[in-house]
């Protein structure tokens, strides 16, 4: 520790290694302390400090897997949720055009699947933990999360998660008075307001999540239901629908109709 004086990164790694040697509970406590510190930080990370952040994040992720998971998978699962939940605060203060940082968080999301299985967590509890994560997926850290966790969610967990998303889709959109709306840009059709973007984002998150659940459940009809008739005519979407219909052994006429709709489309959505 004396030798590492003046190098905060090395000192943190040493503390973590010592905590891991003492036991998983000490390691978990040290990891939580560091995750809280990263979450509270508001300093902008420029390109010179970016490497240190990448190393710090990966060190915490690996520590959860190496020091905590073997003895206490439930604690490790909770820590990994906290780790992946850091994404919003981290991306708010740094640039990740290379995709390196989001890659670390995506590895953490993959770790969630193994930890959920090892910890034998309750399917309903896992669904309730997955639900807010999907809504917070602003930077792609939770892409493919449903497919990743589908084994641990099982039929009951997927059904519960689906119902929560459907209930959200039915909630009325909050209306904001014109004088309270925040203008964030302009388009050919007029001004762009922040609340409009948020509402579109919510609708998009729900649609993609329900599509992923449909795939996990093997429900082709539920997948198709996420697209209106016009959207199904676009080549990419028509091909996705046709592929699922074929895999499910659906009548070939439906497959041909889907392909024909895609062939008639002139431009992507």
């Amino acid at each position: 520790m004396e030798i590492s004086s003046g190098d905060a990164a090395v000192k943190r790694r040493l503390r973590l290694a010592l905590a891991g040697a003492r036991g998983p509970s000490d390691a978990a406590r040290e990891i939580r302390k560091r995750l809280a510190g990263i979450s509270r930080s508001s300093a902008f990370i420029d390109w010179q400090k970016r490497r240190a952040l990448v190393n710090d994040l990966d060190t915490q992720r690996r520590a959860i897997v190496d020091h905590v998971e073997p003895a206490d998978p439930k604690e490790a699962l909770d820590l990994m949720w906290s780790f992946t939940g850091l994404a919003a605060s981290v991306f708010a203060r740094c640039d990740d055009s290379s995709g390196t940082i989001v890659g670390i968080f995506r590895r953490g999301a993959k770790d969630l699947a193994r930890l959920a299985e090892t910890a034998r967590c309750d399917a309903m509890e896992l669904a309730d933990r997955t639900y807010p994560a999907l809504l917070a997926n602003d930077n792609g850290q939770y892409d493919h999360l449903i497919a990743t966790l589908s084994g641990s969610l099982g039929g009951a967990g997927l059904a519960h998660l689906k119902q929560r998303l459907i209930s959200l889709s039915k909630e009325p959109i909050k209306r904001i008075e014109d004088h309270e709306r925040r203008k964030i840009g302009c388009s050919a059709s007029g001004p762009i307001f922040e609340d409009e973007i948020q509402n579109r984002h919510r609708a998009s998150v729900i649609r993609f999540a329900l599509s992923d659940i449909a795939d996990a459940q093997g429900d082709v009809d539920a997948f198709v239901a996420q697209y209106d008739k016009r959207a199904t005519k676009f080549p990419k979407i028509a091909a996705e629908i046709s592929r699922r219909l074929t895999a499910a052994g659906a009548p070939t006429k439906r497959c041909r109709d889907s392909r024909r709709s895609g062939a008639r489309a002139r431009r992507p959505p």
Side-chain angles (χ1 to χ4, degrees), residues 2 21 39 67 72-73 98-99 113 125 133 165 177 219 227 231 241 267:
E2 290 178 2
S39 179
H67 296 311
D72 194 343
S98 67
E125 291 179 3
L165 289 164
E177 298 295 333
D219 189 341
Y227 300 93
I241 292 173
R267 59 176 185 271

Side-chain angles (χ1 to χ4, degrees), residues 168-214:
L168 177 62
S169 70
K170 293 179 179 178
E171 290 182 7
I173 296 174
K174 184 179 179 181
R175 299 296 179 183
I176 301 177
E177 298 295 333
D178 288 343
H179 67 278
E180 295 178 342
R181 302 183 79 187
R182 182 176 172 227
K183 181 179 174 181
I184 58 175
C186 292
S187 68
S189 58
I192 301 173
F193 294 99
E194 184 179 42
D195 61 297
E196 289 179 339
I197 299 298
Q198 291 173 343
N199 292 333
R200 289 175 190 168
H201 174 69
R202 188 183 83 161
S204 178
V205 166
I206 293 171
R207 178 165 61 83
F208 282 117
L210 289 174
S211 296
D212 288 343
I213 291 173

Side-chain angles (χ1 to χ4, degrees), residues 70-260:
D72 194 343
K74 287 187 177 181
E75 178 75 355
L77 177 61
D78 189 60
L79 281 169
M80 196 61 75
W81 277 117
S82 296
F83 172 78
T84 56
L86 289 174
S89 64
V90 170
F91 287 120
R93 56 192 182 92
C94 74
D95 172 67
D96 188 40
S97 53
S98 67
T100 303
I101 296 175
V102 75
I104 294 174
F105 285 118
R106 284 175 178 167
R107 285 196 289 275
K110 288 183 179 179
D111 290 330
L112 287 171
R114 188 189 64 260
L115 290 169
E117 184 176 349
T118 305
R120 298 180 181 179
C121 59
D122 179 78
M124 298 300 186
E125 291 179 3
L126 183 59
D128 286 335
R129 198 79 188 256
T130 303
Y131 174 77
L134 294 172
L135 299 182
N137 189 32
D138 295 333
N139 300 284
Q141 72 274 20
Y142 290 123
D143 285 357
H144 314 298
L145 182 62
I146 292 173
T148 301
L149 294 176
S150 60
S152 295
L153 285 166
L158 287 168
H160 180 61
L161 181 58
K162 178 179 180 178
Q163 188 54 53
R164 290 202 63 178
L165 289 164
I166 291 174
S167 296
L168 177 62
S169 70
K170 293 179 179 178
E171 290 182 7
I173 296 174
K174 184 179 179 181
R175 299 296 179 183
I176 301 177
E177 298 295 333
D178 288 343
H179 67 278
E180 295 178 342
R181 302 183 79 187
R182 182 176 172 227
K183 181 179 174 181
I184 58 175
C186 292
S187 68
S189 58
I192 301 173
F193 294 99
E194 184 179 42
D195 61 297
E196 289 179 339
I197 299 298
Q198 291 173 343
N199 292 333
R200 289 175 190 168
H201 174 69
R202 188 183 83 161
S204 178
V205 166
I206 293 171
R207 178 165 61 83
F208 282 117
L210 289 174
S211 296
D212 288 343
I213 291 173
D215 278 341
Q217 293 177 323
D219 189 341
V220 182
D221 289 334
F223 180 88
V224 176
Q226 300 310 311
Y227 300 93
D228 59 31
K229 189 173 181 180
R230 177 176 174 274
T232 60
K233 296 180 181 180
F234 294 120
K236 183 177 180 180
I237 296 174
E240 289 295 320
I241 292 173
S242 183
R243 179 171 63 83
R244 286 166 173 80
L245 288 171
T246 302
T252 55
K253 181 179 184 300
R254 293 181 66 185
C255 299
R256 288 199 302 270
D257 288 345
S258 183
R259 294 192 191 99
R260 194 177 299 119

Side-chain angles (χ1 to χ4, degrees), residues 41-55 57 89-98 100-101:
S41 180
S42 58
F44 181 75
I45 304 296
D46 58 24
W47 67 272
Q48 293 174 312
K49 298 177 181 178
R50 190 167 166 279
R51 172 64 63 180
L53 174 64
V54 168
N55 291 337
L57 290 171
S89 64
V90 170
F91 287 120
R93 56 192 182 92
C94 74
D95 172 67
D96 188 40
S97 53
S98 67
T100 303
I101 296 175

